[in-house]
Amino acid sequence: MMTIEEAREAIRNGEIVIYPTDTVLGMGCNPFSQIAVDKLFQIKKKQNKGLSVMLNNVKKIYDYCEVNRTYEKIISDLLPGPITLIMKSKREFAKGVTKNGTIAIRVPLNETANDLARDIPVITTSANIHGEKIAENIKEAKIIFGNNCYYLEGEKPTGIESTIIDLSTNKPEVIRIGALYS
């Protein structure tokens, strides 16, 4: 197993890391590296654009997303936690990360995940082949992804995906009911 410092270095170097979040095992990479994002899409067999980006601090949302006054309360009430917020992006990420000018943002309630995203944002998508069952633990993830990824141990996820709320329009909309409402 690798240390948190080694995992951060792997992310900076364009590698894919599988790690625990507060919800499910995540797999991620540097959201600004086109090579890393393309590799993630290939490994995951994902074809649709749009990935979540994990931050380690709620205040950083303002650096990456457009936030209006209406949504400030939603952000402060729900994050950190098992929520993914879809918001208008203020930054350019590697192609495939954003979708129609929006970015999905997570700030997990998980020390390992937050530590991983301490220096730079990290892609956070479920550790599975797209459309298939999510790996329940690192051992299962290694069977699925083998040497294509690095693996970071940490707190055990709940096993329930995040609730997704779209804040990119004038009216908030729950896209997926997940861990927040379980």
Side-chain angles (χ1 to χ4, degrees), residues 20-25 110 112 136-137 153-159:
T21 73
D22 52 349
T23 54
V24 297
L25 273 186
N110 178 289
T112 305
E136 290 185 25
N137 53 50
E153 293 274 6
E155 304 96 307
K156 187 174 173 19
T158 62

Side-chain angles (χ1 to χ4, degrees), residues 1 18 24-25 127-129 132-147 149 151 153 156:
M1 279 307 132
I18 293 183
V24 297
L25 273 186
N128 64 323
I129 301 297
E132 294 184 15
K133 183 179 164 282
I134 300 168
E136 290 185 25
N137 53 50
I138 295 291
K139 183 179 177 183
E140 203 172 287
K142 284 181 177 180
I143 292 168
I144 297 167
F145 298 107
N147 293 330
C149 302
Y151 301 90
E153 293 274 6
K156 187 174 173 19

Side-chain angles (χ1 to χ4, degrees), residues 19-27 52-55 78-84 105-115 124-125 136 154-163 176 178-180 182:
Y19 54 90
T21 73
D22 52 349
T23 54
V24 297
L25 273 186
M27 66 187 305
S52 296
V53 173
M54 177 174 68
L55 304 172
L78 298 178
L79 293 176
I83 304 291
T84 301
I105 293 288
R106 291 238 30 230
V107 182
L109 264 174
N110 178 289
E111 192 177 325
T112 305
N114 287 332
D115 237 10
T124 187
T125 184
E136 290 185 25
E155 304 96 307
K156 187 174 173 19
T158 62
I160 303 167
E161 293 176 283
S162 65
T163 296
R176 176 177 75 196
L180 178 66
S182 319

Side-chain angles (χ1 to χ4, degrees), residues 35-97:
I35 291 169
V37 170
D38 289 347
K39 183 178 176 181
L40 179 71
F41 271 85
Q42 180 184 7
I43 291 169
K44 201 170 158 65
K45 298 182 180 159
K46 180 173 168 59
Q47 296 175 1
N48 314 10
K49 290 182 180 179
L51 293 165
S52 296
V53 173
M54 177 174 68
L55 304 172
N56 76 331
N57 185 311
V58 174
K59 292 176 186 168
K60 290 183 181 179
I61 290 173
Y62 296 85
D63 295 337
Y64 294 94
C65 303
E66 293 179 16
V67 180
N68 64 35
R69 287 182 176 244
T70 307
Y71 296 146
E72 284 179 356
K73 181 156 177 46
I74 292 171
I75 292 167
S76 66
D77 286 351
L78 298 178
L79 293 176
I83 304 291
T84 301
L85 297 178
I86 299 173
M87 304 175 76
K88 291 182 181 170
S89 180
K90 284 172 46 175
R91 295 280 187 97
E92 286 291 320
F93 292 93
K95 188 174 146 229
V97 176

